[in-house]
Amino acid sequence: MSGTLYTFRRCPYAIRARMALAVARVNPEHREVVLRHKPPQMLALSAKGTVPVLKTSDGTILAESFDIMRYALAIDDSQGWLRHETCTERGALLEFNDGPFKTALDRYKYAPDDDPEVLALSMAVAADMLQRIDRVMAGHPYIDHETMGLFDAAIFPFIRQFAGVDRSRFEAIAPPRVAAWLDAMLASARFKTVMAKVAPWCAGDEPLSFLDTLVHDHHSN
């Protein structure tokens, strides 16, 4: 094993980091976190207390999910996930996803009794996000065009979370190609691979290899 990964199964930031680690076959120790009982070992690495956190084999601390993705793919990008890494258009899409859309998503998820004002504002931002994805896809099946790539994996977990609140609302505003993209991502081995249920980590547990938690062990999309 190389390094230590603190993660939480359903967190969208952690999902995208695990997808990149899996595709690059990077193998840290996997430590599943219960967010209401954050282990002091994780907080010692990153005081902000969010997942994922990766301590690499050389002691570097990575506490931002996209940094973990880039770190993993710098080790092995045999699947070509970094082919559009410097694309300005995709970078702007990711920035909107992690900024205005994530803010709206959080408000939408926790809005009391479907507060109509919060719902209207959240759906407007979500509709904007989905239209932006459609424009970047430009008629292709993925954000990274012909096959899944860095930006698909980075953005998909948040769209999954939005659609999971109320699928009918998602379908009412999603362009058909974006809805098909979401379904393809949900069905992909890349996603399913990293979603195994793992018992919460406790100090003293036998170390668990990240690659040993993967549901599948192959390189298909």
Side-chain angles (χ1 to χ4, degrees):
M1 286 179 280
S2 56
T4 304
L5 174 70
Y6 291 91
T7 182
F8 175 61
R9 179 178 180 269
R10 297 193 306 273
C11 171
Y13 295 105
I15 290 171
R16 70 185 183 188
R18 294 199 308 272
M19 288 178 73
L21 290 166
V23 79
R25 307 298 294 173
V26 178
N27 194 29
E29 179 184 348
H30 182 117
R31 295 183 176 181
E32 186 74 13
V33 172
V34 177
L35 295 180
R36 63 183 177 275
H37 301 299
K38 297 169 185 174
Q41 294 86 348
M42 183 185 86
L43 296 174
L45 301 180
S46 176
K48 69 176 185 172
T50 59
V51 292
V53 178
L54 177 68
K55 181 178 181 180
T56 69
S57 55
D58 67 4
T60 300
I61 308 302
L62 300 176
E64 298 293 337
S65 57
F66 201 66
D67 290 342
I68 294 173
M69 296 182 80
R70 283 178 162 151
Y71 162 79
L73 295 167
I75 293 173
D76 182 353
D77 187 31
S78 56
Q79 301 299 302
W81 275 29
L82 291 176
R83 62 189 180 275
H84 295 132
E85 180 187 12
T86 60
C87 173
T88 302
E89 186 181 30
R90 290 176 178 83
L93 180 65
L94 180 65
E95 186 176 347
F96 190 84
N97 178 81
D98 287 11
F101 177 66
K102 179 61 167 63
T103 299
L105 174 59
D106 287 344
R107 289 174 179 161
Y108 173 53
K109 286 190 303 179
Y110 303 117
D113 300 319
D114 287 338
D115 180 289
E117 183 177 358
V118 171
L119 180 60
L121 290 173
S122 300
M123 294 302 285
V125 176
D128 187 5
M129 179 66 192
L130 298 176
Q131 291 292 336
R132 288 169 184 247
I133 293 174
D134 194 50
R135 288 196 295 272
V136 174
M137 289 174 71
H140 297 274
Y142 294 95
I143 294 171
D144 283 283
H145 284 186
E146 297 311 317
T147 58
M148 188 189 304
L150 174 70
F151 291 97
D152 294 288
I155 290 169
F156 150 71
F158 299 87
I159 306 303
R160 168 184 177 262
Q161 197 171 70
F162 170 72
V165 176
D166 188 322
R167 179 74 191 208
S168 63
R169 286 180 183 154
F170 166 77
E171 292 177 348
I173 62 172
R177 194 173 299 277
V178 177
W181 165 80
L182 175 63
D183 287 340
M185 293 295 294
L186 288 169
S188 70
R190 287 298 177 211
F191 168 60
K192 292 180 178 180
T193 290
V194 302
M195 294 303 289
K197 292 183 178 179
V198 177
W201 174 80
C202 293
D205 284 353
E206 188 73 21
L208 175 63
S209 155
F210 169 68
L211 294 182
D212 284 344
T213 71
L214 303 185
V215 177
H216 302 289
D217 186 16
H218 51 67
H219 293 287
S220 67
N221 280 336

